[in-house]
Amino acid sequence: MQKITTQALLESYEGALAFSNPLTDTISTEQFSAEYPERPEWAVGPFRKDDSLSFRQVQDWEDPTGIGWTADSIFNPSIMERDGKLYLFYRASPRKESVSSRIGVAVLDPETGWQDNPSNPVIYPTMDNEILGCEDPKVYQANGRYYMFYNGIWTIEGSDQLAGQNSDAYPLGEVGCDINVAVSDDLIHWEKLGLAVPHEISRYWAKGAVIPRNARGEAVKIGGDYLMYLSEGCGGTTHVGRSSDLVNWTFEPQEYLDLEPLGGSLHEVACAIVNEGERTELVLDFFYGDADGQFSAAQALYDISEPFTQKAVHKGGSLAWGGLLKFGGSWVFAQGWDAPKGSREMYFYRAEQG
């Protein structure tokens, strides 16, 4: 693994400035969540844009790495409520979906509006496995604290290739992706604890620490443990992690999604929604390629007591990478895909039902 240095961070930033992806540049949140072809009673959504919650980042951050870093896009957020205020954690990148990302937080006070945290970024590269950036926060509340899982992106070298995954389904490239964890008591100040998914499980690539989360943003124990659904990486095999404290995890291969009714193949599970109504249900919201290879979203239903046995599936989902939260009486999530290029705006979407 390459050692983190100011020069290496600068090279990552310069590479990000030249990045462009025509596919992700044209993705719109509403193409996945604005309407569902069918809407079973258990499904969460569809969603409509709530302009009253929109956030716009107007100030550049101070750059703690000293390389002149700035961002032109914010996206892939997570939200949490604390004392009546809404906390928005977001990925900021020099270009949309580029490397060299950092993570910031903004706070919505219903009386005074949005304020970007003046000490942003709250998470930025300081460890070797973050040399290419820190991405895609997922925030959970548990045990009186807050836990953020985020992707650390790093450079794979020749020695890593020899020790990493050997899979035709998931061959190693030049970039590794880890799931790291940090903790906080106030949602502003974060302490990094390091790797959450060990390399012998991730095989140097794992994305998406999807942990079942209820309407209040609390991680929910199932069968006495917290569960983590891993869907992208791990040599091409889905895994599930178990933990008693959200910090120390054990993992094993586990199938939990059947896409045969939809056709196509899984890209990544976005979030796990625990709906505590008359009966407690678990819904996995996920990103997949349909039978024609088109980007699509869907949701799958489970009994909370059988979290790997799929009961039903339907096309249409939020792709809320950081999870959904009930705020103002209904499910909401945020996403920055639809913002005009270079505008650094974040839009919120509110469920019509569910």
Side-chain angles (χ1 to χ4, degrees):
M1 184 180 296
Q2 184 180 1
K3 297 297 182 183
I4 190 168
T5 64
T6 300
Q7 181 60 33
L9 292 173
L10 179 59
E11 290 173 0
S12 169
Y13 175 55
E14 290 174 342
L17 291 175
F19 178 83
S20 177
N21 186 329
L23 284 176
T24 55
D25 285 349
T26 59
I27 286 178
S28 167
T29 299
E30 293 188 340
Q31 77 187 70
F32 303 111
S33 64
E35 62 179 74
Y36 297 163
E38 297 178 357
R39 203 276 175 186
E41 180 272 336
W42 56 266
V44 182
F47 296 81
R48 290 283 186 265
K49 191 176 175 184
D50 183 347
D51 290 323
S52 70
L53 294 177
S54 295
F55 166 71
R56 185 167 188 262
Q57 186 203 28
V58 295
Q59 291 283 127
D60 285 334
W61 301 339
E62 292 291 330
D63 175 22
T65 65
I67 61 172
W69 182 95
T70 59
D72 82 347
S73 294
I74 61 174
F75 54 101
N76 288 5
S78 188
I79 56 176
M80 181 67 66
E81 183 178 4
R82 176 181 167 91
D83 297 331
K85 298 178 181 179
L86 187 64
Y87 288 70
L88 170 69
F89 297 87
Y90 59 89
R91 171 180 170 184
S93 295
R95 299 289 184 267
K96 189 177 290 185
E97 298 288 352
S98 74
V99 295
S100 196
S101 297
R102 283 93 170 100
I103 295 170
V105 59
V107 182
L108 174 66
D109 184 325
E111 294 184 0
T112 59
W114 283 105
Q115 180 177 0
D116 206 27
N117 175 33
S119 60
N120 279 336
V122 293
I123 298 287
Y124 62 92
T126 59
M127 302 189 298
D128 291 344
N129 76 340
E130 299 170 348
I131 195 169
L132 298 181
C134 301
E135 304 179 353
D136 303 350
K138 296 180 186 290
V139 179
Y140 304 91
Q141 181 180 358
N143 313 314
R145 306 193 80 188
Y146 301 95
Y147 299 78
M148 180 195 295
F149 296 83
Y150 65 95
N151 295 134
I153 311 300
W154 50 281
T155 302
I156 290 179
E157 297 184 315
S159 58
D160 300 318
Q161 291 275 3
L162 296 175
Q165 59 203 41
N166 181 15
S167 167
D168 292 337
Y170 241 97
L172 278 173
E174 297 179 352
V175 175
C177 181
D178 286 338
I179 295 176
N180 292 338
V181 60
V183 295
S184 174
D185 293 317
D186 62 4
L187 292 172
I188 297 296
H189 303 91
W190 292 87
E191 176 190 0
K192 292 181 179 180
L193 300 183
L195 203 60
V197 181
H199 285 162
E200 56 264 30
I201 298 298
S202 71
R203 312 288 288 275
Y204 296 159
W205 189 278
K207 287 186 69 177
V210 174
I211 298 168
R213 196 176 95 148
N214 65 18
R216 297 174 296 282
E218 299 164 339
V220 176
K221 283 187 173 180
I222 297 176
D225 289 314
Y226 299 110
L227 302 182
M228 182 191 296
Y229 292 83
L230 296 179
S231 53
E232 182 179 329
C234 300
T237 300
T238 55
H239 281 66
V240 168
R242 296 180 182 273
S243 175
S244 62
D245 59 7
L246 286 177
V247 175
N248 301 288
W249 293 86
T250 59
F251 296 88
E252 60 183 14
Q254 175 68 59
E255 294 184 2
Y256 52 80
L257 266 177
D258 177 12
L259 268 63
E260 185 175 354
L262 299 173
S265 58
L266 178 66
H267 291 314
E268 186 179 353
V269 176
C271 59
I273 307 155
V274 177
N275 209 341
E276 300 170 318
E278 292 183 5
R279 60 184 186 277
T280 303
E281 296 176 329
L282 173 67
V283 176
L284 292 189
D285 189 292
F286 61 93
F287 183 40
Y288 76 105
D290 67 15
D292 297 321
Q294 299 299 307
F295 288 159
S296 301
Q299 295 178 352
L301 173 68
Y302 304 78
D303 280 334
I304 199 76
S305 59
E306 297 185 67
F308 314 133
T309 304
Q310 179 176 308
K311 294 178 61 179
V313 66
H314 89 98
K315 187 169 183 177
S318 69
L319 298 190
W321 303 112
L324 289 91
L325 187 80
K326 280 198 174 177
F327 185 77
S330 57
W331 291 104
V332 297
F333 73 95
Q335 183 52 276
W337 280 340
D338 294 327
K341 190 172 182 178
S343 66
R344 298 193 301 198
E345 293 178 349
M346 188 73 69
Y347 303 139
F348 283 74
Y349 300 83
R350 187 175 293 279
E352 294 181 354
Q353 304 180 64

